[in-house]
Amino acid sequence: MNEKHFLKLLDFTEDEINNLIKLSAKLKKDKKLGIEEKTLIGKNIALIFEKTSTRTRCAFEVAASDQGANTTYLDSSGSQIGKKESIKDTAKVLGRMFDGIQYRGYEQEKVEDLATYSGVPVWNGLTNDFHPTQIIADFLTILEHKGKLKNIKLAYIGDGRNNVANSLLVGAAKLGLDFRIVTPISLFPKKELIDTCLKISKETGAKLTLTDSIEKGLKDAEAVYTDVWVSMGETKDTWKKRIDLLKPYQVNSKSMSYAKKDAIFLHCLPSFHDLETDVGNNIFQEFGIKELEVSDEVFQSENSVVFDQAENRLHSIKAIMVSSFNN
Ligand code: CP
Ligand code: NVA
């Protein structure tokens, strides 16, 4: 294991990931009981956001504050990052002032470079390829609702090769889940990642399925997960072809009927399940669809645990920071 950084789940063992989930649960409980121990007093944390965020930013800020650390928020409009200063130079500068750095942006290479050149712990808050902090929160949520992770039947349906799908695939392979990616063949994850995960699954007992069949992929699922059809950083004209491809893959009462009756519904959020967003409205004007990756009915249903997931971002991001400094 890389002792300090949290760049992608591929860098961690099954035990290390399970320990992060356990620590997230402990920190959650301690906070609720009012007995949280502050282990990051006086640390200074830089939060770089080249893409927008609600949950990840707030989770890092509140987690740092709960643990006694300070945060500084930097984005591309108000800093030199990217335009006037390379990531390598930025890393060297921030490494002289801060004890840890969170990065959300585009290429995975950038967050890896920050880790190489800053000399302080670096956490990946989302890149084009991976969203690893999300998966610790997701798996904690599944554990809370289903009591186990090993062999759990988790189906991810939608854009099968985005950062969330890729990270779920790695996490599921490492922790031995029965994981299905349900997506058109043209949206299957990259072959190299699939091969790596299949290799991992041989050691952990994970069952990994890639299928374009909704019925097969969702059959008896205990948890159903989706994400947006177009991710941050993709061009606006991607919407048309993605809607054409993914319309049949919407999570709705029909697709949920293939899963177990008590299957939970997960979504990393934000989600387009109604017309209460600008993007949702624009899509409606252009394509006439009111709900995208999930119907409002499923989103609002009793099976939906999306806000538990959102809360768990706080506890899991706190666990990730705490373990980086206490390893
Ligand atoms: N799920 C997630 O990462 O949300 P934000 O984009 O709001 O941080
Ligand atoms: N796949 C989404 C995740 C957002 C949390 C995106 O990258 O926009």
Side-chain angles (χ1 to χ4, degrees), residues 26-39:
K26 178 189 166 6
L27 289 167
K28 178 174 184 175
K29 198 168 147 211
D30 286 356
K31 177 167 168 134
K32 290 192 192 284
L33 291 172
I35 56 164
E36 180 173 347
E37 191 197 337
K38 291 183 198 291
T39 62

Side-chain angles (χ1 to χ4, degrees), residues 51-195:
K51 289 176 178 168
T52 51
S53 167
T54 296
R55 276 145 292 270
T56 310
R57 175 182 177 178
C58 294
F60 270 98
E61 293 197 4
V62 175
S65 162
D66 284 351
Q67 283 287 311
N70 310 304
T71 54
T72 299
Y73 176 79
L74 296 156
D75 64 19
S76 3
S77 62
S79 73
Q80 317 289 21
I81 297 167
K83 300 181 299 285
K84 284 178 66 181
E85 197 156 32
S86 66
I87 281 289
K88 194 168 161 180
D89 289 356
T90 304
K92 290 181 179 173
V93 172
L94 296 182
R96 299 287 184 107
M97 298 191 197
F98 291 93
D99 302 292
I101 303 170
Q102 183 280 163
Y103 175 82
R104 166 172 286 198
Y106 298 86
E107 295 80 21
Q108 177 71 16
E109 197 189 344
K110 284 197 185 165
V111 77
E112 306 267 353
D113 279 352
L114 269 175
T116 305
Y117 297 108
S118 66
V120 297
V122 171
W123 307 291
N124 178 359
L126 181 150
T127 59
N128 293 344
D129 290 337
F130 294 115
H131 194 8
T133 66
Q134 179 71 50
I135 277 52
I136 305 299
D138 298 340
F139 283 5
L140 173 62
T141 311
I142 295 174
L143 194 60
E144 287 172 342
H145 286 273
K146 295 286 162 196
K148 64 167 193 172
L149 284 167
K150 201 110 199 160
N151 298 322
I152 202 99
K153 295 179 176 62
L154 168 65
Y156 172 93
I157 174 166
D159 178 4
R161 28 98 284 168
N162 73 10
N163 40 21
V164 170
N166 287 344
S167 294
L168 282 171
L169 179 62
V170 178
K174 293 256 175 184
L175 297 200
L177 276 69
D178 174 348
F179 180 61
R180 304 96 183 257
I181 291 190
V182 189
T183 191
I185 291 165
S186 60
L187 292 177
F188 276 11
K190 284 190 187 135
K191 189 178 175 309
E192 196 190 337
L193 184 67
I194 297 174
D195 290 346

